[in-house]
Amino acid sequence: MTAPWLTIIGIGEDGLHGLSPAARSALAHAEIVFGGARHLTLASAAINGEQHAWQSPFSASIEALLAHRGRKVCVLASGDPFHFGVGATLSRHVDSAQMHVIPHPSSFSLAAARLGWPLQDVVSLSLHGRPIDLLRPYLHTGARILALTSDEKGPGAIAALLVEAGFGRSIITVLEALGGAREAVRSQMADGFSLTDIDALNVCAITVVPLPGARILPLAPGLDDDLYEHDGQLTKRDIRALTLSALSPRPGEFLWDIGAGSGSVGIEWMLAHPSLRAAAIESDPGRAARIARNARAFGVPELRVVEGRAPQVLTGLETPHAIFVGGGGTDTGVMEAAMGALQSGGRLVANAVTLEMEQLLLTFRARHGGELVRLSLSHAAPLGTMQGWRPVMPITQWRWSKP
């Protein structure tokens, strides 16, 4: 077996002092060393080969690194290279047999050690270069969150989000430059957060404390309709829960939500697992903007909003694993385009509230098979001086799996 040509070394703020003899030896014998400018400075005394700071865009550095395949190349990375680090990116280009990885304790590990928090009980989340709205699904009573930020502004932004969402009494501990000479650990309550001169290298530890009325997002599908901003164009919570069950989300899958309305189905699809992705297709500009706002408020800001009319805007979209078609439309072109685009083994779920759409689903079921389900619900409501059952409009649901 050929010896690995690429060595990835995790380095901390303690620089060379924190590296093992094996890591220092690999660094000293490397012909070429890639890393961030800060990493190269920390390790400069042990580097004998060429030094290359990461370029922007990062893809240019990957190409430069791969051009040296077969030589003794070393990459310096922050902490554990495979915990929200550069290792994940490099592994998409270099086989593991060609890499030797020497990790260092990650910022999350160091933060947990300082606080005495068992890592298995903690949410570890990277907000480095990512929207802080990603915090929202994890804001539950008593939750402990470790969030890696992008810079010195991150802790203040997190505090503002917590206050806005009703978690102002949460405790934010800012752990700065962990493992180095500048290390500092400071805590404040979110609604009184006023720390200044925060080091750009920081991790925020959050102990979540909700106030009455805090925006807590339950883990099950079928979230309260009142949590959504909508104009009435919304798959209601009971039907939504049954629809998500029929769509059967699985890790890593991609959903098309055609005629997304307020975006609720795509949003709750993505909330089911961090790896799930979705595109919300909506022709009305006002509703499309509303979907984007809802996505941020539910902590899934990466929901893709596609403004335009189906089936025209479906061309060029990533192939879906599942598709939801909602509402009262009767366009056979939409259904045919959706079925044609779906991956083999993928699921399509369509809801009909009108007789015309129901007839369309009956036709498609007769041609292609699948399962038809009648969803009928009633809610208790005042009836004179007493209570009675008030039925909501029944839904006909077609569930189809592509051969």
Side-chain angles (χ1 to χ4, degrees):
M1 180 181 292
T2 305
W5 61 272
L6 175 63
T7 301
I8 307 176
I9 298 174
I11 189 169
E13 285 300 289
D14 50 359
L16 293 175
H17 296 292
L19 297 185
S20 67
R24 293 178 67 125
S25 175
L27 194 58
H29 289 90
E31 300 174 61
I32 303 162
V33 179
F34 286 84
R38 179 173 59 86
H39 298 142
L40 294 172
T41 300
L42 285 169
S44 60
I47 297 175
N48 297 313
E50 299 175 21
Q51 298 185 34
H52 296 269
W54 295 128
Q55 304 174 46
S56 181
F58 187 67
S59 58
S61 290
I62 297 297
E63 292 176 8
L65 185 151
L66 295 176
H68 297 292
R69 187 187 296 270
R71 300 179 66 184
K72 291 183 179 179
V73 179
C74 185
V75 166
L76 287 169
S78 294
D80 184 343
F82 279 87
H83 195 191
F84 297 111
V86 70
T89 301
L90 292 175
S91 67
R92 292 194 287 269
H93 303 276
V94 181
D95 186 87
S96 61
Q98 299 176 9
M99 294 189 293
H100 177 51
V101 182
I102 307 174
H104 186 277
S106 69
S107 296
F108 297 107
S109 294
L110 292 173
R114 301 294 186 269
L115 298 168
W117 285 8
L119 266 178
Q120 69 269 19
D121 299 330
V122 174
V123 174
S124 298
L125 188 64
S126 177
L127 301 178
H128 184 75
R130 305 175 72 199
I132 63 168
D133 287 310
L134 292 168
L135 273 172
R136 294 181 186 271
Y138 304 102
L139 299 179
H140 288 259
T141 305
R144 288 174 168 179
I145 302 170
L146 290 175
L148 179 66
T149 74
S150 292
D151 53 33
E152 68 279 3
K153 299 177 183 178
I158 288 172
L161 181 148
L162 291 170
V163 172
E164 177 266 322
F167 298 88
R169 294 301 176 91
S170 299
I171 304 299
I172 301 176
T173 299
V174 183
L175 302 103
E176 307 166 63
L178 286 169
R182 305 189 318 278
E183 180 174 317
V185 180
R186 297 182 283 172
S187 298
Q188 281 191 350
M189 196 173 290
D191 62 6
F193 191 85
S194 60
L195 295 181
T196 58
D197 299 322
I198 297 172
D199 196 287
L201 295 172
N202 67 80
V203 176
C204 284
I206 307 165
T207 303
V208 180
V209 180
L211 290 166
R215 188 181 172 88
I216 298 175
L217 300 177
L219 300 179
L223 301 181
D224 194 323
D225 294 346
D226 291 339
L227 290 170
Y228 288 92
E229 179 188 347
H230 65 91
D231 60 358
Q233 191 73 11
L234 175 75
T235 301
K236 302 302 189 290
R237 65 180 300 178
D238 301 306
I239 301 299
R240 192 185 323 127
L242 293 167
T243 297
L244 265 295
S245 175
L247 286 167
S248 304
R250 300 161 194 174
E253 291 190 330
F254 182 62
L255 170 78
W256 286 0
D257 180 4
I258 302 177
S262 299
S264 62
V265 171
I267 286 169
E268 295 191 25
W269 166 277
M270 291 182 67
L271 285 173
H273 193 271
S275 69
L276 290 167
R277 297 167 299 114
I281 296 97
E282 176 53 55
S283 62
D284 183 272
R287 287 176 177 160
R290 189 177 294 115
I291 291 169
R293 292 195 296 272
N294 277 328
R296 291 191 294 271
F298 281 86
V300 290
E302 293 167 335
L303 171 68
R304 181 179 177 185
V305 181
V306 180
E307 184 181 327
R309 187 170 297 280
Q312 291 82 359
V313 296
L314 302 178
T315 303
L317 292 182
E318 179 182 343
T319 302
H321 301 84
I323 298 175
F324 173 60
V325 181
T330 58
D331 189 343
T332 58
V334 172
M335 294 293 292
E336 290 168 349
M339 294 171 68
L342 194 62
Q343 289 192 17
S344 178
R347 291 89 60 203
L348 183 145
V349 176
N351 289 353
V353 294
T354 65
L355 292 175
E356 289 79 7
M357 182 65 174
E358 182 179 89
Q359 183 58 54
L360 181 66
L361 297 188
L362 289 170
T363 300
F364 273 85
R365 195 249 189 169
R367 291 177 184 170
H368 304 284
E371 181 184 10
L372 274 178
V373 179
R374 183 75 156 173
L375 305 176
S376 182
L377 298 167
S378 296
H379 294 158
L383 185 61
T385 59
M386 302 186 201
Q387 296 279 315
W389 292 109
R390 179 162 295 169
V392 298
M393 291 185 67
I395 302 287
T396 299
Q397 185 176 86
W398 182 46
R399 304 168 180 176
W400 178 73
S401 294
K402 188 169 183 176

